[in-house]
Amino acid sequence: MLSAPDLRGHTVLALHAHPDDEAIFTGLTLRRLADAGARTVLVVATAGELGESRLPLRRGETIARRRITELERSAALLGVSRLVLLGRRDSGLPGWASGAHPRALAGADTRRLARRVARLAEAEGAETLIYDDEHGIYGHPDHLSAHRIGDGAAALTGAGAYQITVDREHLHVSAPDRHLIHGAAEAAGVHFGRDSSEITLAVRGNAEHVASKHAAITAHASQVDPRHLPIEEFAGAYGIEWYRHDGPPGVLHLLDNIQPAAPALAAAALATPALAASALSTSAV
């Protein structure tokens, strides 16, 4: 049974590279934080304008506009309190000429963007930042930039940092080739995620949280075909979210921590207590 912490008064800022990343990699976490009373601020660096739409666009509609509309829908489904767009351009996959575009996130001044995110975090009173790990989860240029921005903002603010990854051993056992990261990594020609032993925190959700995450991912209909995400197989691939965290336990630890020691345990999703049942309490922001 999942704990039900009271996180009223806490603010968490999540930084992502593209629309749909928020749902794929942190959908459970964002929904659970919102349900626990935390304020969640979602920052997305690009509009994902290089992701071709699998659906026809409306007359005069751009792919960027479509993807932002989908992002707004996803954010609402995940209970996000505030959505902020950094306005950079999608860089495309490794080696693409689009990465040299003047507004591409891959070539942006990440220190300047880190200062911008730090100012936002301070204005919001965010004591916790969520962002991609140093591998960019799977090495996409924009995810690597998102890591540098998040890491810089965490250093400037002193906020607790949770770095997003995926447990590739767990996915190999529970969802071979059934997570969107498999196709993304193959398209980019890169490896993805980490071994189970490298994961320091894993967050799970109940059936309602998993359903919310499924709805949020499929809200990105221009990019994701719901037929490829059958609900009966969804939890095996998307029912846990993984993080790297240094330092003392923070807000995300209050959502329960599953720490598998090996793929077999990952498949079983054995829960271990993370903190005392009572959550931290502060005055409302």
Side-chain angles (χ1 to χ4, degrees), residues 26-76:
T26 59
L28 294 177
T29 304
L30 291 171
R31 184 66 262 176
R32 289 200 61 196
L33 287 168
D35 288 349
R39 177 174 173 81
T40 53
V41 179
L42 174 60
V43 180
V44 180
T46 80
E49 43 275 272
L50 295 187
E52 295 183 4
S53 180
R54 68 177 196 88
L55 301 174
L57 299 177
R58 300 179 184 88
R59 184 184 298 273
E61 184 182 36
T62 64
I63 184 61
R65 181 64 258 171
R66 170 66 66 89
R67 297 204 67 183
I68 290 171
T69 298
E70 293 171 345
L71 173 62
E72 292 168 344
R73 172 62 176 158
S74 171

Side-chain angles (χ1 to χ4, degrees), residues 91-118:
S91 305
L93 294 177
W96 285 16
S98 52
H101 189 281
R103 294 203 54 76
L105 181 61
D109 183 344
T110 54
R111 290 176 297 181
R112 182 178 64 81
L113 290 172
R115 290 193 294 270
R116 181 178 170 187
V117 172

